[in-house]
Amino acid sequence: MAASILGRIDREIMEPRRGLGLVVRNPLLQDWVRAGEPNESGLEDIYRLLESIVATYNTLGANFVSQNTKQYSDLLNGKRDWSYRVSNKDTWFTGFRDSSVEVNNVVYVGAPVRGTRAYGSRRDEVDGKFAGLSQTSGESENLDRGLRHHPRGKL
């Protein structure tokens, strides 16, 4: 039973987050960040990287949030959105940046705005400096339902 629960968590949360390592280490992302993240050259490549993560790991979305420009390059339910910039109100971003944590997972269950969703975040560094973070988001209804059917106790 514990193996079943851990397998479900690994498949629905951990695997997509590990896949973000492909984005972090990708030369296209690193070169784009070094060039100052010009919209006209590179943004299409970044969205293709995000689309490959979504397709490979069957997530709802993926994004890259830039430390340099504060730009939020988001892909959610197949829709590209480049309209949002993080601000000082986005303490989740500055908290992650300042923590020096490499990876982070957050799971919401029945939250008023987000519903039941899992987010995996991974620190992106270019030339040893914090460049931003990459995230995946996934619907966690199946995970939630699956975990509720297991008896409570130690794993």
Side-chain angles (χ1 to χ4, degrees):
M1 184 174 352
S4 173
I5 292 171
L6 292 175
R8 189 179 286 268
I9 290 170
D10 188 62
R11 183 175 56 257
E12 295 190 28
I13 297 174
M14 305 304 284
E15 279 184 28
R17 193 204 63 210
R18 283 191 293 269
L20 290 173
L22 302 172
V23 174
V24 172
R25 292 185 300 273
N26 191 292
L28 292 172
L29 175 78
Q30 293 191 3
D31 290 346
W32 185 61
V33 168
R34 285 184 191 109
E37 302 163 38
N39 186 6
E40 63 280 355
S41 64
L43 188 58
E44 183 65 29
D45 291 331
I46 300 311
Y47 273 114
R48 279 198 295 270
L49 283 172
L50 297 175
E51 287 166 347
S52 72
I53 294 296
V54 168
T56 301
Y57 297 100
N58 196 31
T59 65
L60 287 176
N63 61 59
F64 172 72
V65 185
S66 170
Q67 167 63 22
N68 182 38
T69 63
K70 306 299 188 250
Q71 188 63 52
Y72 199 108
S73 303
D74 192 29
L75 177 70
L76 183 61
N77 293 319
K79 181 181 175 196
R80 295 175 176 189
D81 185 358
W82 208 66
S83 65
Y84 184 73
R85 288 184 185 266
V86 292
S87 70
N88 291 336
K89 294 179 184 179
D90 295 307
T91 56
W92 61 270
F93 180 76
T94 55
F96 188 82
R97 177 196 65 205
D98 297 343
S99 72
S100 297
V101 170
E102 184 179 347
V103 294
N104 186 42
N105 292 306
V106 176
V107 178
Y108 295 94
V109 177
V113 174
R114 292 178 179 88
T116 300
R117 192 169 288 180
Y119 294 89
S121 302
R122 185 172 186 103
R123 181 179 204 83
D124 295 345
E125 293 196 358
V126 174
D127 300 328
K129 295 179 185 170
F130 180 72
L133 62 91
S134 298
Q135 292 182 313
T136 59
S137 61
E139 196 66 55
S140 300
E141 291 293 337
N142 291 335
L143 177 63
D144 180 39
R145 234 182 338 273
L147 295 179
R148 288 176 193 263
H149 288 96
H150 288 286
R152 304 220 190 284
K154 292 184 179 181
L155 293 180

